[in-house]
Amino acid sequence: MTTRTPWRRLALLTGLALMATACAGTTRSDVTQQTSAPAAPASSAAADPNAPIKQGLKIAFLPKQVNNPYFTIADEGGIAALKEVGGEGKEVGPSEASASSQVSYINTLTQQKQDAIVISANDPNAVVPALKQARAAGIKVVSYDSDTAPEGRDLFVNQASAEDLGRTEVQLLAEQIGFKGKIAILSATPNATNQNTWIEFMKDELSKPEYKDMELVKVAYGNDEDQKSFTETQGLLRSYPDLAGIISPTTVGIAAAARYLSSSPHKGKVKLTGLGTPNQLRKFVKDGTIEGFELWNPGDLGYLAGYAAAALASGQITGAEGEKFKAGKLGEYTIGPKGEILLGKPTVFTKDNIDDFDF
């Protein structure tokens, strides 16, 4: 999302009232850790940008966890995209976001001969052997939100640059605490590729001279569970009573942290930022618990991933850099290096603009 106007238009057109309260993310597509499973054969077919979208495509969305409202929103966007092109989409997946929890679902989808699998990986490598088997069977694979190792997929639909997201979250918090004090990070799961990539860039940003008076004291993990994230926030404040701020790059974490801070003596003293949705955090912005946070539209992310998967399965694109395809209401997109497609830059939400958004 880039401006207020498109979001107003989106709300009018779709009537979405999104209440996402869960993990969101992105990561690099050049994951360095590799798996020993044999590589899936690359397609030798050339892209045909004029090819029509095949009718009756079957595309499955495999999120990190199905009881995660963030992914419900994203996958509903993808399923809507499939309906627009005469296809059929569905969401399947585990109820817990563990590293290996998605493998059995990939195997089942392969047996069902889906045309494409759209996956947000809990672990970049654990899913790769199963995804290679799917690709060897002719199934296209698109990762979204959280990438797999590159050999496990054809495309990665990324919300925004991982570097931009990691650095801007530090910048937001630094401004709020006057570039001084102890800070902590409340992440999702220890193996989440999205969180870990952002944290790398956060640490690199903190190494710059302007942050010399800021100290990262701990990275805590709430496992994308509300109660654990709430408890971890409580633990951070007990261990570091002089903590100046918290960055939580997960919508479950930031909501739980905001709930704890809003009813504690630390409200207004400990600054909180990260990734969340306007509807989810509006009351915390208005009561002063949060000054500013950022995110993108998860529905648009899934929508773009759905169109990308349909274009792949129809032969319009192969995943090569420079190829272009149209993604419905979002317009035309160009595939970047290593099969990455960027949705767009996130927006910072504050008390001055939060009421301009409804998702």
Side-chain angles (χ1 to χ4, degrees):
M1 54 190 168
T2 56
T3 66
R4 299 181 188 180
T5 301
W7 285 100
R8 291 196 186 102
R9 187 159 54 244
L10 175 64
L12 290 171
L13 290 173
T14 65
L16 291 175
L18 309 181
M19 295 299 292
T21 56
C23 163
T26 183
T27 183
R28 293 176 308 204
S29 59
D30 54 340
V31 180
T32 54
Q33 186 179 356
Q34 303 296 325
T35 176
S36 58
S43 172
S44 59
D48 179 4
N50 297 316
I53 295 292
K54 293 180 180 178
Q55 294 299 289
L57 289 172
K58 296 188 299 180
I59 296 178
F61 292 80
L62 178 53
K64 291 180 179 178
Q65 52 187 162
V66 293
N67 59 352
N68 184 320
Y70 169 86
F71 287 111
T72 299
I73 295 163
D75 295 345
E76 285 177 350
I79 292 169
L82 265 295
K83 288 182 179 179
E84 290 180 4
V85 297
E88 178 184 348
K90 66 178 180 179
E91 181 192 63
V92 299
S95 58
E96 295 183 1
S98 63
S100 61
S101 60
Q102 295 170 310
V103 172
S104 64
Y105 291 92
I106 298 169
N107 293 336
T108 298
L109 293 171
T110 301
Q111 293 170 0
Q112 293 175 350
K113 299 181 180 180
Q114 296 288 311
D115 291 293
I117 296 172
V118 181
I119 180 172
S120 178
N122 280 317
D123 182 281
N125 300 295
V127 295
V128 168
L131 289 176
K132 284 183 174 180
Q133 292 179 6
R135 295 179 71 199
I139 297 171
K140 302 301 183 182
V141 177
V142 175
S143 60
Y144 74 118
D145 177 76
S146 186
D147 201 9
T148 71
E151 68 269 24
R153 47 75 171 169
D154 297 284
L155 290 173
F156 171 39
V157 179
N158 195 345
Q159 300 93 326
S161 161
E163 180 172 1
D164 285 346
L165 284 166
R167 295 189 189 282
T168 56
E169 288 177 72
V170 170
Q171 293 162 9
L172 278 172
L173 185 61
E175 291 172 359
Q176 294 170 13
I177 66 175
F179 290 80
K180 185 176 182 179
K182 296 178 180 178
I183 68 169
I185 296 170
L186 177 61
S187 185
T189 60
N191 292 326
T193 52
N194 50 358
Q195 308 291 314
N196 291 337
T197 303
W198 288 334
I199 291 169
E200 287 180 18
F201 285 116
M202 290 179 196
K203 291 178 178 178
D204 187 69
E205 181 71 13
L206 285 167
S207 69
K208 294 181 179 180
E210 56 263 44
Y211 306 103
K212 61 182 176 60
D213 294 324
M214 290 173 59
E215 178 187 3
L216 176 60
V217 294
K218 186 174 182 178
V219 178
Y221 298 95
N223 291 343
D224 261 353
E225 297 173 4
D226 177 78
Q227 187 55 48
K228 181 168 176 55
S229 298
F230 184 92
T231 302
E232 288 292 332
T233 305
Q234 186 179 45
L236 285 171
L237 272 299
R238 286 178 177 174
S239 299
Y240 306 97
D242 57 344
L243 197 67
I246 298 172
I247 299 172
S248 187
T250 154
T251 58
V252 169
I254 194 172
R259 195 171 77 254
Y260 175 79
L261 290 173
S262 66
S263 59
S264 78
H266 302 285
K267 178 181 177 181
K269 299 176 183 178
V270 177
K271 304 299 182 180
L272 173 65
T273 193
L275 302 178
T277 69
N279 289 354
Q280 170 198 32
L281 299 178
R282 193 182 316 277
K283 64 180 180 179
F284 299 116
V285 170
K286 291 191 173 184
D287 72 10
T289 303
I290 298 175
E291 290 185 14
F293 65 95
E294 61 185 12
L295 195 68
W296 49 87
N297 182 346
D300 278 357
L301 182 69
Y303 183 90
L304 176 57
Y307 263 94
L312 269 171
S314 301
Q316 288 184 351
I317 55 175
T318 64
E321 182 177 357
E323 292 177 348
K324 300 179 185 293
F325 68 99
K326 292 181 179 178
K329 65 186 179 184
L330 298 180
E332 187 176 75
Y333 280 82
T334 301
I335 300 173
K338 301 179 182 178
E340 185 177 29
I341 303 167
L342 291 178
L343 173 63
K345 289 186 176 295
T347 289
V348 176
F349 304 96
T350 68
K351 65 180 180 181
D352 295 329
N353 71 349
I354 196 165
D355 284 337
D356 293 338
F357 302 89
D358 182 19
F359 74 96

